[in-house]
Structure formats: structure tokens, C-alpha cells
Amino acid sequence: AAAAERGARVRSVGVLGRRPGPLGRHAAFLRRQADRLLDGGSDYSELAAFVDERRADEPDGDDAIDANALLGLGLTFFSDQRHALAFDAFFEGFGEQLMILWKFMLLRKRVLFCSLPPIGDSCLFVLFACALAAQTGAPAPAPELFVSVADIDRLRGLPHYAACSTESILLHKPDLWHLAITDGWRMRASGPANQRLCSAVTAGDRRRFASASAEYRRRRSPADALRWFADLNRGLGAALELAAGPAEDHRFSAEAAR
């Protein structure tokens, strides 16, 4: 058997679903099954029962991601230690630049993470980026997760997305993305308007990040950090609705701007 596998044994277990959110709660079970098969097991009965029991878990419907479902990841999805560690790398790696990513996501831009394999953490970073823009009662940006050169034509037709790839050739096609993030948390933007948005962290960004960071580090809880962003987004949405309301001049007050 070792000769047939050239000294390397690899096993993979996965689930296909319409949306990533509900799949997170099954990650620990799938990892245990992969470990068991890696040790030489050949009994698939538990996996077969798993599929039969959950085949219809996800109802038919559109692919929009409900913000509450994304924020709910903080209670179930992030309870997995590996996912919590990935969020810590995401939050600390970006630092204050996280507020730039937040703006791009809130403005429904096209965001591409490009890194070397393995791609697992980058897929998680895509979900975290989408969660930054979540707000109660509104659909969150849709994650594309992994994309490749085969998706180029489709990506050109999408008004906004968050995705990741290991294929650096996509970085040479700036018409596909508004913001590209490479290894080392380096950001590059396409087009003058996006470059201005990406060029500097403002004093307001620093204040907001300090507040978000204090909330996150209080319990090292990804759920707390994402709820902080949801509250920020909700407050921003309320201020914009007020400005667009029946007032005669439709002007922002200084208080609303703050």
C-alpha cells in the first residue's frame, strides 16, 4: 500500500451545499472522519448515514446570505478552534487596514484574496470579509470562495464579490477586481477612485479600529468583533436613512456624521 501511494497517504472528506454558513457546524465531524480514513479505515457507514440524515437540510431558495446567518457563524462556526485561530490571524494581520477592507465590502466592491496554497484559510478570510459588512435585515455580500482562470468571464459579469485564488495571473487582470489582497496582507486597488480609498488609513479609521480591537481582545471572541461591525453598519444605515428622509434640505448634521 505504501508503494502504491508513493509514501504519502492523503484522504479528504467534504460536503457540497448551496451556502457555506450551515456547513461550518459539521467541520469537526468531517475532520474526524478524514483522520479515521487516513489511519487506514475503509468503513463509510457513518458518512453514508450522515448524508442520508441531512440530505434535505438546506431548503430551496436563492443564494443570498442572510446577515443573521453570517453573524450566527460566530456562535457555531467559530467555535471550531481552527476557525477561531484563522480569525485571529485575519484580525491581527490586517490591523488598522481592516477598516479599508470593511469600506470596500460595505460599498459592495469586488475583493480578491490571492495567496499560495493551501487555500483553506483564504476561504475563511473570504467569509470573514463578508461578515464585516453584515447588518441585520439586509443581505450580506455573497462569497465566491475559491475561483480560478476558468471563472474569469463569470467574474467580469459580477458587480461585487469576495473570493480567493492561488492563481496569481488574476492579479494581472485588474478589470476583474477593485481590491486585491496578497500574502503579507498587502493591498492593491484598481482605478483612481479605489486607489484613493485604499491609499491611507484615516484618523476615523484608527478610532473605529481601536474600538473594535478592544471589543475583540476583551474575550478574544470573533462573534463579539463581528457584532461590533454589525452595530456600526446598522448605525451608519440609520444615519443614511435619516439623511434621505422627508427633511427639507437632506443634509447630514454633524452629530449624524459622527
Side-chain angles (χ1 to χ4, degrees):
E5 298 187 357
R6 299 183 180 183
R9 179 177 291 138
V10 179
R11 296 292 182 266
S12 177
V13 176
V15 173
L16 299 179
R18 290 172 62 86
R19 291 176 295 279
L23 302 181
R25 63 179 177 267
H26 305 306
F29 169 79
L30 298 175
R31 195 171 292 119
R32 288 196 302 272
Q33 292 295 309
D35 288 342
R36 186 174 61 79
L37 294 172
L38 190 64
D39 290 336
S42 58
D43 179 7
Y44 293 90
S45 60
E46 290 184 24
L47 284 168
F50 174 87
V51 172
D52 289 339
E53 291 170 7
R54 295 167 175 81
R55 190 183 300 273
D57 259 7
E58 296 185 71
D60 292 333
D62 61 37
D63 287 329
I65 295 182
D66 180 76
N68 288 319
L70 260 178
L71 294 174
L73 294 178
L75 302 177
T76 55
F77 190 75
F78 293 130
S79 62
D80 183 284
Q81 184 180 16
R82 179 173 174 272
H83 298 166
L85 290 173
F87 184 86
D88 195 69
F90 174 82
F91 193 91
E92 301 293 352
F94 272 114
E96 292 177 341
Q97 284 190 307
L98 188 66
M99 305 313 298
I100 293 177
L101 175 62
W102 166 70
K103 292 176 187 177
F104 273 86
M105 295 304 301
L106 206 61
L107 291 169
R108 295 297 199 266
K109 300 285 188 175
R110 295 187 287 182
V111 176
L112 175 69
F113 290 82
C114 193
S115 67
L116 296 172
I119 202 66
D121 281 353
S122 292
C123 288
L124 293 175
F125 297 160
V126 168
L127 290 178
F128 301 154
C130 290
L132 291 180
Q135 52 184 308
T136 304
E144 286 291 315
L145 298 182
F146 181 79
V147 296
S148 69
V149 292
D151 298 293
I152 286 178
D153 289 340
R154 186 172 62 85
L155 293 177
R156 282 200 175 103
L158 296 177
H160 58 81
Y161 66 78
C164 61
S165 183
T166 57
E167 300 183 13
S168 58
I169 191 173
L170 298 180
L171 297 175
H172 300 285
K173 298 183 177 296
D175 61 314
L176 296 179
W177 42 266
H178 299 125
L179 180 70
I181 301 160
T182 58
D183 285 328
W185 313 103
R186 290 185 292 271
M187 293 181 169
R188 66 172 78 171
S190 64
N194 294 321
Q195 287 167 0
R196 285 194 298 272
L197 188 62
C198 181
S199 62
V201 176
T202 68
D205 291 334
R206 292 189 178 93
R207 287 194 300 271
R208 283 185 284 271
F209 180 75
S211 178
S213 183
E215 184 64 26
Y216 173 56
R217 289 173 177 153
R218 187 170 59 87
R219 293 192 303 172
R220 220 67 186 177
S221 166
D224 289 348
L226 294 180
R227 288 194 186 97
W228 184 93
F229 277 97
D231 289 341
L232 176 63
N233 299 339
R234 187 163 49 249
L236 178 59
L240 290 171
E241 285 182 7
L242 184 63
E248 292 181 2
D249 53 13
H250 296 288
R251 287 186 298 178
F252 252 169
S253 67
E255 183 180 356
R258 282 194 295 273

